[in-house]
Amino acid sequence: MTGTVLHLPHALLPEGWARNVRVTVRDGVIAAVVADAPPEGERLAGIAVPALPNLHSHAFQRGLAGLSERRGAGDDDFWVWRETMYRFLGVLSPEDAEAIATFAYMEMLEGGFGGVAEFHYLHHDPAGGPYADPAEMAGRMAAAAATAGIGLTLLPCLYTHGNFAAAPPGAGQRRFINGTDAFLDLLDRCRAIVAGLPGAALGVAPHSLRAVGPDQLAALLAAFPAGPVHIHAAEQQREVADCLAATGQRPVEFLLAHAPVDARWCLVHATHMTAAETRSLAASGAVAGLCPMTEASLGDGIFPAPGFLAAGGRFGVGTDSNIALDAAVELRQLEFAQRLGTLRRNVLAAPGASCGRALLEGALAGGARASGRQTGAIAPGQRADIVLLDPDHPDLAGRTGDAWLDGWIFIAGRAAVREVRIGGAAMVREGRHVRRDAIRARYARTMARVLAAL
Ligand SMILES: [Zn+2]
């Protein structure tokens, strides 16, 4: 057992802002928190806030960022982007995927995230054949998380069909496809992988109602009775129309009617909902997994946040396609999309409250729940995953309390992230990941090869 004592001059605790906070850490977990304590142990500089759990990532897509910004001959939309994504993953080896994921996870830490829920669907080789180890690619994601030092929730993804009504997969989907039995073998392998990674958790990810039918979903849930369940739902209007045509119900409506959706579920995006779906999803206790930068990038639409929050709904944020690995930017975009949609300001805050604080605390609670890990608060029993903001950054200097959060989230972004502790260990110092040079050099070599092969 290894123990350490950290002294935080300012910290955001569950009960609010505190000064001179002594945090005792044992084996990566917070054993005790005492405010107004005399300096003792390692004295950290900065404003301590809980590191944000990133509840939705497809790590390999970091390498695709910026490669789909040229308009084709006709209308461009999510489905055109998806074809570009399929071409990109068609050239990725396991080594490539690991190098890209390591770089993405490093950037997440530098951007103020402390954990990542990896929604992992890239299982097979480029021809669709299984690797000798069916968990080859999942193991690469775990290795990337270990190298970067980020907390991992591994979400192996079940993908059985190409579209609704059990349509066969297209060529671009061959790397994703498993039958239920093969998937349950993969799940067992993933359980062993996660057991070897401190603080990691295992969940499952039926990809979407496009890719998984009701029978497969029921079999999956029977085999995985506890732990996080993540599913993409209602990201695109065409998906809603296809679901209506195939089932007579909309995606969120169908899930709520046919699956035991509760607090262990995370519905990723949930963009296109009726008012009744919005209220019912909130009442289920499930987390809405919002990916604001990706949803803006892909032209998905705007999540109905006011109705969802009014009904007591919980949300977290994810980076999804990984075009922006910055916790502040995702929270800012979440709020800004609401402003564009409602023609109001500070939509996610209660009257009189700081919007930055409301965004951060909402996403911490929902992100922790969706990740299935003990993280998201500076409190006993939680992982010691802590971000230290730079009090001397021009957008934070001279401010205090919630105004620090508003300066970080709405203005400074990752430039204000000075240090990140994961399980108490420093993974980012002075804004730089401790292994940045090696991880970046490997990523650059990998991308040179991948881009040449495209
Ligand atoms: Zn996704």
Side-chain angles (χ1 to χ4, degrees), residues 56 58 232 268-269 320:
H56 190 68
H58 309 290
H232 293 115
V268 180
H269 307 301
D320 196 359

Side-chain angles (χ1 to χ4, degrees), residues 339-413:
R339 294 184 188 188
L340 289 166
T342 63
L343 312 184
R344 295 287 185 275
R345 302 189 75 251
N346 296 312
V347 179
L348 272 80
S354 150
C355 195
R357 173 115 175 233
L359 287 161
L360 179 65
E361 291 192 326
L364 284 168
R369 178 181 283 200
S371 73
R373 301 174 58 247
Q374 296 299 312
T375 189
I378 301 174
Q382 305 294 308
R383 304 278 310 169
D385 299 343
I386 298 169
V387 168
L388 289 135
L389 301 172
D390 179 2
D392 300 322
H393 188 284
D395 296 322
L396 278 68
R399 307 180 189 206
T400 189
D402 293 346
W404 283 322
L405 301 180
D406 292 333
W408 167 43
I409 290 168
F410 287 102
I411 312 297

Side-chain angles (χ1 to χ4, degrees), residues 92-414:
L92 292 186
S93 70
E95 293 77 12
D96 297 335
E98 181 180 338
I100 295 170
T102 307
F103 182 73
Y105 295 162
M106 175 193 79
E107 287 196 314
M108 288 177 197
L109 288 165
E110 291 184 346
F113 289 109
V116 59
E118 179 63 32
F119 194 115
H120 171 66
Y121 59 81
L122 191 55
H123 301 307
H124 305 311
D125 71 24
Y131 289 106
D133 175 1
E136 168 75 37
M137 296 296 267
R140 298 287 182 161
M141 297 302 103
T147 303
I150 199 167
L152 178 68
T153 301
L154 183 60
L155 300 167
C157 173
L158 176 62
Y159 203 119
T160 58
H161 303 130
N163 206 343
F164 288 101
Q173 297 167 320
R174 292 178 299 196
R175 301 192 74 172
F176 319 154
I177 301 296
N178 278 308
T180 308
D181 289 346
F183 180 79
L184 295 181
D185 287 343
L186 171 64
L187 187 60
D188 278 342
R189 304 294 289 261
C190 289
R191 195 171 275 119
I193 289 169
V194 163
L197 209 55
L202 180 70
V204 293
H207 178 273
S208 59
L209 293 174
R210 301 196 305 268
V212 176
D215 294 346
Q216 289 88 33
L217 187 57
L220 176 60
L221 295 172
F224 193 77
V229 181
H230 290 220
I231 185 168
H232 293 115
E235 178 177 11
Q236 281 282 320
Q237 289 178 334
R238 187 172 114 189
E239 173 195 348
V240 176
D242 289 351
C243 190
L244 273 166
T247 71
Q249 290 180 303
R250 303 162 59 85
V252 173
E253 180 187 19
F254 183 91
L255 277 171
L256 291 168
H258 293 88
V261 176
D262 61 13
R264 75 176 177 130
W265 285 68
C266 176
L267 270 65
V268 180
H269 307 301
T271 309
H272 299 288
M273 295 192 287
T274 63
E277 284 178 299
T278 303
R279 286 192 300 272
S280 297
L281 181 62
S284 76
V287 174
L290 310 178
C291 305
M293 286 297 285
T294 295
E295 289 156 7
S297 165
L298 297 181
D300 287 342
I302 301 175
F303 177 76
F308 186 71
L309 295 180
R314 291 171 175 267
F315 69 91
V317 294
T319 58
D320 196 359
S321 64
N322 294 325
I323 54 170
L325 295 171
D326 186 323
V329 165
E330 293 292 351
L331 295 172
R332 181 191 308 164
Q333 177 63 29
L334 168 55
E335 167 65 23
F336 280 5
Q338 297 301 318
R339 294 184 188 188
L340 289 166
T342 63
L343 312 184
R344 295 287 185 275
R345 302 189 75 251
N346 296 312
V347 179
L348 272 80
S354 150
C355 195
R357 173 115 175 233
L359 287 161
L360 179 65
E361 291 192 326
L364 284 168
R369 178 181 283 200
S371 73
R373 301 174 58 247
Q374 296 299 312
T375 189
I378 301 174
Q382 305 294 308
R383 304 278 310 169
D385 299 343
I386 298 169
V387 168
L388 289 135
L389 301 172
D390 179 2
D392 300 322
H393 188 284
D395 296 322
L396 278 68
R399 307 180 189 206
T400 189
D402 293 346
W404 283 322
L405 301 180
D406 292 333
W408 167 43
I409 290 168
F410 287 102
I411 312 297
R414 62 188 298 143

